[in-house]
Amino acid sequence: MKLLAKGLMARGIITLAILVAFTACGGKKAEESTENTEIGVAKDKKEIVVGFSQIGAESAWRMANTTSIKSEAEKRPNIKLIFADAQQKQENQIKALRSFIDQKVDVIAFSPIVESGYGPVLKEAKAAGIPVILTDRNVDLSDDSLWETFMGSNFYEEGVKAGKWLKDNYDRLKLPEKSSDTVNVVELQGTVGSAPANDRFKGFRDGIKDAPQFKITKTQTGDFTRAKGKEVMEAFLKADKNIDVLYAHNDDMALGAIQAIEEAGLKPGKDIIILSVDAVRGAFEAMVEGKLNCTVECSPLLGPQLYDAVEKLMKGEKLPKVIWTQEGVFPQEVAAKTLPSRQY
Ligand code: GZL
């Protein structure tokens, strides 16, 4: 009996010891996590949960951007990515952001499809203590406390670079029978209301403002898609074949327009000088074929810098309000030798 009593006593002490250890340990962890949650200092969590709302899959650029966001997360064991595709609808993006808030993710990141309409949901994220990173496209809100940083391209500069390239190169590229006195330019704009469309519109005009020979005779949105770019270019050509230059806010619309120009019996890149933005692989292939004359780079490869920023945030580090991507300009002459090294 004594032995049994002794045994029970011993087990009791062990059980008690395990219980105390567990509570203390649990208590200690509970204090820490309560403390961290209340004060909002960087969580020293092993896994960081990132909610990412992507615009859609409207262009080769967007698909390369998605690949970068997803593949980089797979390379980082401490990152858990919750990825939502908005299929180019703002209401889907706002729904996704609200679901990230409900799931209490550690960080929210997204590319706003248009500049306006995100104030309320960003205020909800701030009230929930969830930091937000804007990637690729920006919002038109003045209260920049609603996001930690914007990382992406300077779309206005891309437009200026396109305008300056045209000004510096049109005379050398134009057909002999074409006049230099008046150069008719048509423009395929990106998604209406989006930051890249608004800024590339402004930047291009500033890039050619001291060259009055360039007249923008037609401008219309092609919504950044190849199909719509072809459709709008067909309409431009039907209305007036006297087009000297096409400026497209992205390569996908330019590639669609090239099809329309060929179907109209004209030579893209010769009868009509074509310049666009993104520098996706398809643009380099078109330049090698002589059908596109220049593309201004807009890099989609934001995955690595996104998660670097997330990890800094979780350590409590402050981020710069803007992290610009460094980009170049690729004219047709360099396309063949550059193409093999392109990552998207
Ligand atoms: C630009 C990006 C634009 C690309 C388009 O950063 O938002 O959206 O230029 C894409 O190709 O659809």
Side-chain angles (χ1 to χ4, degrees):
M1 200 42 190
K2 255 194 183 162
L3 198 57
L4 180 61
K6 258 192 184 165
L8 284 176
M9 268 287 280
R11 275 184 54 189
I13 289 168
I14 291 168
T15 312
L16 185 63
I18 290 170
L19 196 61
V20 165
F22 180 76
T23 312
C25 170
K28 186 171 170 302
K29 266 218 184 80
E31 260 160 44
E32 260 179 18
S33 64
T34 313
E35 202 177 290
N36 284 348
T37 309
E38 262 164 25
I39 298 169
V41 296
K43 302 182 183 82
D44 56 357
K45 292 174 65 170
K46 289 279 168 289
E47 181 183 69
I48 303 169
V49 181
V50 177
F52 188 91
S53 168
Q54 179 60 293
I55 287 176
E58 73 281 3
S59 62
W61 189 99
R62 185 65 52 202
M63 290 185 267
N65 180 244
T66 292
T67 302
S68 177
I69 298 293
K70 287 183 172 176
S71 60
E72 187 62 24
E74 280 154 25
K75 288 181 199 156
R76 300 194 187 205
N78 62 329
I79 297 287
K80 177 185 174 197
L81 174 65
I82 304 175
F83 184 90
D85 178 336
Q87 290 164 346
Q88 280 198 273
K89 290 189 175 60
Q90 183 178 37
E91 62 267 27
N92 290 347
Q93 266 203 318
I94 291 172
K95 252 189 237 138
L97 298 184
R98 288 202 162 109
S99 86
F100 296 151
I101 294 169
D102 293 344
Q103 295 174 66
K104 297 183 172 46
V105 299
D106 294 302
V107 179
I108 287 173
F110 75 112
S111 171
I113 184 164
V114 292
E115 291 186 299
S116 57
Y118 291 95
V121 70
L122 290 178
K123 287 189 181 106
E124 292 163 29
K126 183 177 179 181
I130 300 175
V132 173
I133 292 177
L134 298 179
T135 73
D136 170 29
R137 297 185 185 179
N138 217 325
V139 292
D140 60 1
L141 292 164
S142 54
D143 178 5
D144 66 5
S145 72
L146 294 172
W147 61 91
E148 300 303 317
T149 189
F150 162 79
M151 59 176 63
S153 306
N154 187 325
F155 305 130
Y156 171 79
E157 278 309 315
E158 290 167 354
V160 172
K161 287 175 188 172
K164 284 191 172 149
W165 178 85
L166 179 64
K167 200 175 53 176
D168 298 345
N169 292 277
Y170 180 74
D171 285 347
R172 123 182 118 81
L173 292 169
K174 74 174 180 56
L175 294 174
E177 64 272 22
K178 292 257 184 183
S179 135
S180 262
D181 305 340
T182 308
V183 182
N184 295 326
V185 181
V186 296
E187 178 183 37
L188 289 170
Q189 292 182 35
T191 302
V192 175
S194 68
N198 293 340
D199 295 351
R200 288 170 187 166
F201 180 96
K202 284 193 285 264
F204 181 70
R205 283 154 180 76
D206 286 355
I208 58 172
K209 67 174 182 296
D210 56 359
Q213 69 273 30
F214 295 105
K215 301 268 182 263
I216 301 173
T217 55
K218 287 185 181 48
T219 182
Q220 190 176 329
T221 183
D223 207 18
F224 283 133
T225 68
R226 192 181 284 220
K228 199 90 175 84
K230 179 171 189 271
E231 189 188 305
V232 174
M233 191 66 201
E234 283 163 351
F236 284 169
L237 286 161
K238 258 199 204 93
D240 171 6
K241 278 218 171 180
N242 182 18
I243 296 171
D244 302 312
V245 174
L246 163 64
Y247 166 53
H249 288 188
N250 82 332
D251 295 332
D252 280 62
M253 294 189 291
L255 296 173
I258 285 168
Q259 279 178 284
I261 292 166
E262 288 179 316
E263 287 168 11
L266 296 169
K267 290 194 187 69
K270 292 182 182 46
D271 294 321
I272 296 178
I273 301 301
I274 304 174
L275 62 152
S276 61
V277 186
D278 277 353
V280 296
R281 177 171 296 281
F284 282 83
E285 289 159 352
M287 287 196 285
V288 168
E289 291 170 49
K291 297 181 179 178
L292 179 73
N293 302 89
C294 177
T295 182
V296 175
E297 187 177 31
C298 173
S299 175
L301 307 178
L302 297 173
Q305 68 190 71
L306 169 60
Y307 299 118
D308 288 348
V310 165
E311 287 167 356
K312 283 195 176 107
L313 269 184
M314 298 311 285
K315 287 185 195 122
E317 289 177 36
K318 200 92 185 88
L319 295 173
K321 217 57 197 167
V322 177
I323 304 171
W324 292 124
T325 314
Q326 300 311 313
E327 297 159 339
V329 178
F330 297 91
Q332 196 180 94
E333 305 81 80
V334 304
K337 75 173 185 316
T338 312
L339 179 56
S341 65
R342 295 300 295 169
Q343 294 176 64
Y344 64 95

